[in-house]
Every structure is written in C-alpha cells, then in structure tokens.
Amino acid sequence: MRTRTDAERGPTIEYANFVIMLLVALGIGIVAVLASALLGPKKASRTTLMAYESGNDPERGGVGTGQRFPVHFYLVAMLFIVFDIETAFFYPLAVAYQRLIPFAFFEAITFVLLLLVGYVYILKKKVLEWA
Amino acid sequence: MPDWLATLLISLLKAVLLVLALLTTFAYMTLVERRLLGRMQLRPGPNRVGPMGLLQPAADAIKSIFKEDLTVTLADKLVYTLAPIVAIGMALTAFGGLPAGPAGSLLGENPWVYNLDAGILALLALTSMGVYGIFLGGWSSGSKYPILGGLRSSAQMISYELGMGLSILGLLMLVGTTSFQGIVGWQSQNGWLILFQSLGFVLFLISSFAETNRTPFDLPEAEQEIVAGYLTEYSAIKWALFQMAEYVNMITASAVMSTLFFGGWKGPQFLNALIPGVSDWPLVWLIVKIAFFLFLFIWVRATLPRLRYDQLMRFGWKLLLPLALGNTVLTAAFLAFRGQGSLWFLGVLSLGGVVALLILSDRVRTLWNQPSLRRSDPVRAGGD
C-alpha cells in the first residue's frame, strides 16, 4: 500500500480534485433532472401550468411577479456586505494571531470598536426592526 | 498512465462514491426523521413499505422521478431548471473537503475528496452559494409565494452566515490554521475544542440551524404561512433536489460541527484504556458524531415552535452577532494576556458565558421578542 503525501501531489492537484467534486455534484443534479424529464408523463394543461394563488387566477404574473417588496431586505443585504468584509479581514488576523500578540490584540480591538460604532448607529436608526 | 492522471481518476471515483453515499444517507435520513418524529409523537411512523419501512425512501425516489415535471407558464425556464441543480451541487461539494481519517487511511488513499488549505473558507463560500439556489428558484417561479420565500431565505441565510463566520474566529485564533486536518490534529493534542469554545459552539450550532433552514428557523418554507415558500411551484425531481440539498446541508453541518468542536474522526482518548486504539478508528467516530447531531436536528424540530420573521432577524442581528464578536474578543484577550494560565481558564470563561446566557435568557428575550418599533409608529427607518 503506497501512501501519497500532499507534498508529492502539490497544492494544485487539490484544486483539480475540488473541480472534479463540483462537476460530479452538478452532474448528479443534471442527470436527475434529465431522467425526470424523460420518464415523467407530459399531460400539462393550461390550468396545471397556472401559478398557484390559493385557487384564484394569478393577479399579476411573470418572473419576480412585479411586486414591490420591503426595503428592509435591501438594507440587510448591504449590512451583510459590510460585516462580511469585516469577517474576511478577521480571518487572516485570527490565523496569524498567536504570532502577533499582544500588538494584534489592540489592532483587533480598534477595528471591532470602529465597527461597533456603525453597529450602534444602525441599532439606533432601528434598521434591524421588522415591524 | 501518468501519476497525476491516476490521482485524478481516484479522486473521481471517491467523488462518485461520496455523492452516492450522501444521497443514500439523505434518503434514509428522511425515513429516520419520519420514524423518530413518529416516536416522539407516540405513533409508529412509516412501517408498511418493506420491513420497518426500510424501502420507503426507494419508493419515494421512484415516485418523484416518474412524476410529471411542471413548469409554470410565467416562469423563467432556464433559471427555474438551474436553481435546484445549483442547490444540490453546492450542498454535495461542501462535504468533500471534510476529512474522515488521517492521510492514507482509506485503502491507502486519503479519506477526503479535496483538501484545501483554506478548508473552512471554501466551506463557508459553498454554503453561501447555496442561497443562490433557493433565491433563484423562488425568483424564477413566476409566482407570489416563491418570491416571498426566496426573499426571506436570502435575508435569513446571509444574516446567520455572519454569526457563523464570526463564531469560529475564536477557534481559529486558538488553532492557527484553517485546514480541517490541522484542526483535528490540534484537538488530538490539546483536547476537544468544545471545552475551550463552548460559547462559540452554541452560536455555531444555532447559526447552522438557520443556515440549513431547519426548525425553528425554517421560515423560507413555512407551510402554514406562505404555502411552501420557494418550493411552491416545484414538482417531481426538482422538488426532491431541493429537499436533498437541505438534508445534505444538514449532514454537512453535523460533520463540520463534529470536526471543528468534537475532535473530528478522533474519539475520546480515555477510551484507549479500555480498548487500545479505539479512539483512532477513523470513520466510525465521525459517523457516530454526525448521527448524534442529525438526531439533535430532528429532536429540535419536534420540540420548538418556529420564530416569527421579525424575531428571527432580530435574533440573528441583536443577539448572535454581538455574542459572536464578544466571543472573539474574549478569546483574543485571553490569548494576549494569558500569562501562566493554561487553556482550561478559557474553557471556564467560555462556559461561564453560556451559563450566563441561560440564566439571563428571560432578560435577553426582549432583544428579539418585542419590537421596539411598531407598525403604527409615525417615524419609520426605511419604510416599506
């Protein structure tokens, strides 16, 4: 039994493995959809192809249905971008943290405090309230 | 055959086997869930198809393939078809990076499909790709309930992903690496990370319930509120693919929690005194831990009522996010000024946080239960 180490394979091969996994996983989905399209009955009528709206005729239709939706969703998405970037900055700091203390601690605290100012601001503005 | 080609072929084989294993687990998870929910409600659950209902998953799968595949006239055909494929693809791929043993323990091969140095980052990226499947599915259905479910799910999943990403920062500070193998190795030397990061674990657990759309956070598909959310217009195998993605995400979340906080494929060391080498049985321990967490998912489903949507968002932003940040700062402060104190002190601190949270649960409940802004209030933040 021969054991290949990661060093022998090199890091690139792992990305190739990742792509293989992704293709296999997507392939399963495609095969399933194709199989169902081939095997299933096709007796669709105008009424079965109507959008579900609790038994009524759909009022407005089409992709996205043309409804207006609360701006809250937009705000949450923006906040997510801001805080996710924060998280992205935190990851390298966390991994290298033990080599950078105690300096890194004060750096991290400063960063967190700056973000907390923004967080308190959105709390006070009641952006996070879904009344 | 050149060496790299052989390696890739073996990876292909492993990927196919892993996908088949995950799909089988998914199929039997549906059965186990129905049987367990039955037991918890004092009824037997499915027990007619095959002995103990063991053929029920096969019957369900065959049925969903032979069902008619409807596409609503007003739907966007391409996106409507692609959405479930994206959902299942991302869910299955995420599992491939988790190690099920030391290098070379699977018949001389490595018991994982891919092993990236930034394993956790890849996993978080893949789980956040999962939201595309759900949201695009909802958007492209051309109907009202799906778009509501899609919007809800995208807002919910991105909110809880913040909590999830922040709650493992303390862990990363302790371990100093993002590769799963490194984390498992650290734990076999210093003890399971649940001991030192219990607060982080609790936050991670709650976020992963929300990330996988399980009760009490299954708002995107709340049957009694918005029919079936993003699933309303889906039928046949596409519907099954979404279900599959949800359950595979659940399995992945269980495996991630076992790997990050419970020693991964390594069992408890003290058992070695009873049977030598028992804690090193790869795969066995990982499966035991995954099974435990899957049971927990089902148990919680049978126990807790669903949150309202505004409660859900307030819970994520007002409790989970600050606590995760607090956990990070706590760990950072401990590591910076620990002096002679060893890691057990951090464990006590972290456990103290969990206990304080439990004791204060009546007080902090107002954070998410009562809105500080009512629909009748004259001044509105964003307005909708």
Side-chain angles (χ1 to χ4, degrees):
Chain A
M1 250 194 276
R2 194 165 62 94
T3 306
R4 287 194 200 81
T5 61
D6 286 344
E8 276 171 47
R9 286 173 158 173
T12 329
I13 203 89
E14 294 296 347
Y15 287 95
N17 290 340
F18 177 81
V19 173
I20 289 174
M21 183 74 212
L22 191 65
L23 290 180
V24 169
L26 291 175
I28 286 284
I30 294 169
V31 166
V33 169
L34 284 182
S36 172
L38 287 176
L39 295 173
K42 293 172 196 62
K43 289 179 292 196
S45 67
R46 200 185 62 82
T47 36
T48 54
L49 291 180
M50 213 147 77
Y52 176 76
E53 211 162 299
S54 307
N56 303 322
D57 284 342
E59 226 177 64
R60 272 173 305 192
V63 163
T65 67
Q67 298 186 52
R68 290 152 63 87
F69 60 85
V71 73
H72 280 302
F73 290 111
Y74 181 71
L75 291 176
V76 165
M78 275 202 312
L79 293 178
F80 166 73
I81 294 174
V82 172
F83 280 90
D84 209 35
I85 291 175
E86 176 213 349
T87 322
F89 279 127
F90 252 120
Y91 278 112
L93 185 66
V95 171
Y97 187 72
Q98 303 235 28
R99 271 166 281 163
L100 301 175
I101 44 179
F103 167 69
F105 175 68
F106 297 107
E107 210 175 31
I109 287 290
T110 316
F111 189 48
V112 168
L113 283 180
L114 284 176
L115 270 159
L116 276 185
V117 174
Y119 181 74
V120 170
Y121 179 74
I122 59 171
L123 274 189
K124 291 284 171 205
K125 275 280 183 183
K126 303 195 169 170
V127 174
L128 304 177
E129 298 297 335
W130 295 65
Chain B
M1 195 189 295
D3 192 43
W4 58 268
L5 188 61
T7 315
L8 289 187
L9 279 179
I10 288 167
S11 298
L12 183 67
L13 184 67
K14 278 193 292 190
V16 171
L17 285 179
L18 176 68
V19 164
L20 292 180
L22 279 176
L23 293 189
T24 317
T25 321
F26 146 73
Y28 278 92
M29 262 306 290
T30 58
L31 176 68
V32 169
E33 172 161 33
R34 292 173 64 187
R35 301 262 317 174
L36 276 176
L37 283 179
R39 289 288 161 203
M40 288 167 188
Q41 297 163 358
L42 301 181
R43 56 188 174 84
N47 60 358
R48 284 291 181 273
V49 190
M52 301 193 310
L54 280 177
L55 292 178
Q56 183 74 45
D60 287 341
I62 293 169
K63 184 195 76 175
S64 66
I65 285 186
F66 283 96
K67 279 276 184 184
E68 180 170 11
D69 197 1
L70 289 173
T71 308
V72 178
T73 325
L74 295 168
D76 185 311
K77 301 277 186 307
L78 178 69
V79 181
Y80 179 83
T81 316
L82 279 181
I85 298 175
V86 169
I88 187 69
M90 297 309 149
L92 288 172
T93 314
F95 197 91
L98 290 159
S105 68
L106 190 82
L107 307 174
E109 291 299 326
N110 292 332
W112 56 77
V113 181
Y114 60 89
N115 178 30
L116 305 179
D117 289 336
I120 291 181
L121 295 182
L123 192 110
L124 287 176
L126 283 169
T127 43
S128 53
M129 284 293 288
V131 75
Y132 278 96
I134 291 179
F135 180 71
L136 290 179
W139 175 83
S140 63
S141 286
S143 179
K144 287 199 179 60
Y145 295 106
I147 187 123
L148 274 176
L151 276 171
R152 281 178 164 202
S153 95
S154 52
Q156 162 187 343
M157 284 175 84
I158 60 177
S159 299
Y160 280 82
E161 202 179 293
L162 281 180
M164 197 177 213
L166 285 171
S167 63
I168 55 169
L169 281 176
L171 180 150
L172 292 179
M173 281 179 182
L174 280 173
V175 178
T177 172
T178 46
S179 91
F180 288 115
Q181 280 292 33
I183 291 170
V184 174
W186 191 91
Q187 293 182 84
S188 65
Q189 283 178 356
N190 299 298
W192 289 0
L193 272 160
I194 174 78
L195 298 173
F196 314 119
Q197 285 289 316
S198 41
L199 186 55
F201 169 69
V202 170
L203 300 175
F204 192 84
L205 182 76
I206 296 172
S207 332
S208 52
F209 272 87
E211 279 289 294
T212 49
N213 296 325
R214 293 290 298 182
T215 17
F217 304 113
D218 58 346
L219 273 289
E221 43 189 301
E223 310 91 340
Q224 300 93 332
E225 298 169 23
I226 45 169
V227 192
Y230 62 96
L231 287 170
T232 307
E233 298 297 352
Y234 278 93
S235 59
I237 201 76
K238 288 180 191 153
W239 180 86
L241 284 179
F242 273 122
Q243 286 301 99
M244 231 184 256
E246 178 186 326
Y247 278 80
V248 171
N249 275 333
M250 220 162 97
I251 300 169
T252 313
S254 308
V256 171
M257 282 187 277
S258 329
T259 307
L260 292 186
F261 294 96
F262 285 84
W265 44 267
K266 279 213 170 234
Q269 297 292 321
F270 64 86
L271 287 180
N272 277 337
L274 300 174
I275 311 165
V278 71
S279 83
D280 277 342
W281 291 350
L283 216 56
V284 175
W285 281 107
L286 189 66
I287 288 174
V288 167
K289 288 165 188 173
I290 290 177
F292 167 74
F293 279 111
L294 289 177
F295 176 74
L296 190 69
F297 271 104
I298 296 167
W299 192 10
V300 168
R301 177 173 176 189
T303 310
L304 292 179
R306 186 181 288 141
L307 271 77
R308 218 166 48 210
Y309 194 71
D310 60 325
Q311 293 173 331
L312 171 99
M313 295 308 279
R314 277 201 297 268
F315 187 80
W317 282 94
K318 286 190 168 178
L319 190 74
L320 215 62
L321 187 71
L323 274 181
L325 216 52
N327 180 52
T328 312
V329 172
L330 185 78
T331 315
F334 170 80
L335 284 175
F337 306 111
R338 70 171 135 185
Q340 296 304 311
S342 53
L343 280 173
W344 63 265
F345 184 59
L346 179 63
V348 173
L349 270 182
S350 199
L351 199 63
V354 178
V355 172
L357 196 60
L358 286 177
I359 293 172
L360 291 176
S361 58
D362 273 345
R363 296 292 171 98
V364 292
R365 196 170 291 159
T366 52
L367 275 183
W368 71 85
N369 256 356
Q370 287 145 18
S372 58
L373 189 74
R374 301 256 172 210
R375 198 159 267 285
S376 50
D377 284 356
V379 182
R380 306 292 308 275
D384 47 19

